[in-house]
Amino acid sequence: MRHLNRAGITFSSQSRSLGRRIALLGYSHNRAFLRSRRSNYLPLQNHLSIHSTTSRRYAEAFHTQLEDPTSAAVLQNLKTSPRTPQTLTEKIVQRYAVNLPEGKLLQSGDYVTLSPQHCMTHDNSWPVAIKFMSIGATEIHDNRQIVMTLDHDVQNKSEANLKKYRQIEEFARKHGVDFYPAGRGIGHQIIVEEGYAWPGTLVVASDSHSNMYGGLGCLGTAVVRTDAASIWATSTMWWQLPKIAQVTFTGTLPEGVTGKDVIVALCGLFGRDEVLNHAIEFTGSEETMKSLPIDDRLAIANMTTEWGALSGLFPIDSSLEPWLRYKATEAALYKNHELPEDRRRFTHPRLEELFASKPVADKGAKYAKKLYLNLSTLSPYVAGPNSVKIATPLDQLAPQNIAIDKAYLVSCTNTRASDLSAAAKVFKDAAKQNDGRIPKIAKGVNFYIAAASMPEQEAAEAAGDWDAMLKAGAEPLPAGCGPCIGLGTGLLRAGEIGISASNRNFKGRMGSVDAKAYLASPEVVAASALTGRISGPGLYQKPEDWKGVEFGEGDGISEETRMITADEALEKIIGQMDDLVAKGEEEFGNESISSKPAAEADVEDEERLVDILPGFPSKISGEIVFCDADNINTDGIYPGKLTYQDYVSTEDMSKACMQNYHPEFSSIAKEGDILVSGFNFGCGSSREQAATAILAKKIPLVVAGSFGNIFSRNSINNALMGLEIPKLVERLRERFPVQNMQQKGSQEIKEPAGNKESLDSPPPAPLKEAPRVLTRRTGWTLTYDVRRSRVEINEGDGKPAWSHRVGELPLTVQEIIARGGLEKWVKAKIEATG
């Protein structure tokens, strides 16, 4: 439930604006009463006017209602406000929050201290250990909370990497931490198959695809290395409860369509940051959700990261229960007798307890956004090239005969036994037309396969699926991340085209920045490897009456067919009024922080001064260097090939900064510049080097239209300041427009028309103008006045300077930045209490 903050509203002298604000303010108090009386079925009367006290504990009404016995009795019972409805995400976070005030119910926007059920680190465990030791910690606070896996660079047999692996294993053994060695599997799959990701719990990992745990009804979200070190030392971390979006599935998944197709379609259909930095909750009817097997749910949840979300949570429902019960029976027969009782995670008694009181979203819980997708109208989809937001139906892409050089069945997204079986079926079915012999993959194509874990590979081997793909010519790789993150065998070379069942196809991630990568389901990857071009196995048959994919805002139920109770009708009215309040807050809030001439702003700001810590800079100023692109990801900011090298010098980090986005950035940007970019800057992986590389370049401040949440965390944790100023980005784009135009008579583009919208993959046709300027020295000066919470922009050329208000920089954040980052801040706290 949203509450209007009276103290945060600036009242205008205009009576119309004032009147609207007062109306909104009055409603913000009234809606609590409206929600409280949903179940009492009292009629809403035009003259009803209820006001609550600031404590929101008592309701008053007109005397005519108090005189009515029925109304009076109900109002008397409402003297204590009802429990605020919570989403499933809010309920899980509530459970793992520590030091909350008594009676505090968490809602979106709240900052909390969390103690997660588990925290997983992988190859970055040693860098985390170095941070842990550098802050003065000597013992892991709760070794049952921590899990360590080795999965990213498992093909690297260099002495340096083997030494790091030994150090991680020895550290884990010393502290009694659960440890899984190289070759055992990808960390996220281990967390799932070993029962760490338990439904209704909160599990974090220092990797961006922790969202995957949501496929089991476990709230999974990513943390960064510094957060992980804090959890090791204190069992806790800081977090802000994000906005929560509800995604409703309708219909049922057709034959030949998979969970991978669902999430690729979602990334493309809702590709304008609709769920950026949101927590997603998936829902649907029992019939709809039964059409999504658990492995499909895991794939969907995994790639909510690429969709821009912080988590992707499925319900704990009747489809999940048999999967859990199978795992519990399997553990009882083959595994639990080898484990101490406190390490037995899959047990039937624990399942009985879970389903006796499983957490669900409250009726009337408030969602920031509601979207829907009709699964029945979906077909197989392919993402790319080089962007997950270019999603094209396979039946539109296949006729273009796009030849491939490499195919990959790798990563934590789609290499479980069911995925390997689906891919192997393509070759087995082809064998029926080849005298029973498994056909070979197309000439000139390399096909790489790696299971998500050894148990999944063993299951595929037992079913004959692994062998079928080897007979077809697949090249096996160890269970691990490998090519998905640009490490080891089989990387894309310049000019090559690859198709992968993995989760991310950013430019340069899987090899050369001059290669192109597509994403698809395991069966499409296998069929493409067999034919040598992007194609499918032909399992999907489009219905004759198909009219297009049905998707949009809301829950997908038409008003004509909707059957609702009186409770739901009232909730709908309240929701509409909530949206009106939110719109008013945004409108009036923007009115109060709108851009103004600098001289006028100085007068206004005298009354709005922020306290500055001693030694903290009161102003930051520099020339704007503009990187005009949206969705610049962490691979673009800092190359994946350097991410798992632990001792990269500051000078080399500086040279690598923005290298995959623009190789010339390092020579254009100078010390003290202010980096300005577009929207969703820093999306992608959790690598903290995306922030530290910018600092290595001695750039003190990054400004963007919006940031990926994990980049924001890394920035604060590593003492890099960032500001979101959409107006500045828009103004820069007005002043420095992109003027690329395709020449008349140029060759027809043989790839999806949507490619022209991909910043990672410009149209291959000749250009009339020179290519866009990726990094531009603007000649503009930006000055951030921290004390006045205002930015001043001087565009030069005799233009008057203008200013824009920004959010206040809290003292806590100032302290973290002043200390040089969260790591040093925690160390100071430990020393102070030690």
Side-chain angles (χ1 to χ4, degrees), residues 412-492:
C412 54
T413 314
N414 277 121
T415 56
R416 284 167 280 281
S418 64
D419 302 308
L420 300 172
S421 176
K425 186 177 185 299
V426 173
F427 298 101
K428 291 179 180 179
D429 287 348
K432 297 174 184 177
Q433 310 299 322
N434 191 41
D435 296 327
R437 298 190 303 274
I438 297 291
K440 294 294 183 180
I441 58 177
K443 185 177 180 180
V445 173
N446 295 104
F447 181 31
Y448 301 96
I449 61 174
S453 69
M454 278 309 299
E456 297 296 319
Q457 180 175 327
E458 290 165 359
E461 290 171 342
D465 297 326
W466 193 260
D467 186 58
M469 289 187 285
L470 294 182
K471 287 180 178 178
E475 301 177 44
L477 300 175
C481 302
C484 175
I485 54 168
L487 296 173
T489 301
L491 303 187
L492 288 171

Side-chain angles (χ1 to χ4, degrees), residues 794-801:
N794 191 324
E795 299 183 11
D797 298 329
K799 293 184 174 64

Side-chain angles (χ1 to χ4, degrees), residues 360-383:
V360 296
D362 288 331
K363 191 174 184 179
K366 180 66 178 175
Y367 291 92
K369 192 163 296 181
K370 291 187 177 184
L371 307 172
Y372 75 90
L373 174 67
N374 185 342
L375 300 182
S376 297
T377 64
L378 273 188
S379 63
Y381 266 74
V382 177

Side-chain angles (χ1 to χ4, degrees), residues 266-276 307 369 389 630-631 679-680 757:
L266 286 170
C267 288
L269 297 172
F270 299 102
R272 299 187 179 278
D273 295 340
E274 286 90 340
V275 297
L276 178 63
W307 198 13
K369 192 163 296 181
K389 294 189 176 183
D630 296 333
N631 305 307
F679 294 83
N680 198 19
E757 299 177 2

Side-chain angles (χ1 to χ4, degrees), residues 488-532:
T489 301
L491 303 187
L492 288 171
R493 298 171 182 168
E496 288 188 329
I497 295 176
I499 187 166
S500 177
S502 53
N503 44 37
R504 195 170 281 165
N505 60 344
F506 300 153
K507 184 176 70 172
R509 177 177 173 85
M510 299 183 69
S512 170
V513 295
D514 295 318
K516 291 185 177 180
Y518 293 84
L519 303 178
S521 67
E523 14 309 54
V524 169
V525 169
S528 301
L530 185 60
T531 63

Side-chain angles (χ1 to χ4, degrees), residues 253 289-298:
L253 205 62
M289 300 309 279
K290 278 186 175 180
S291 74
L292 289 170
I294 299 307
D295 284 356
D296 279 344
R297 296 184 184 194
L298 291 169

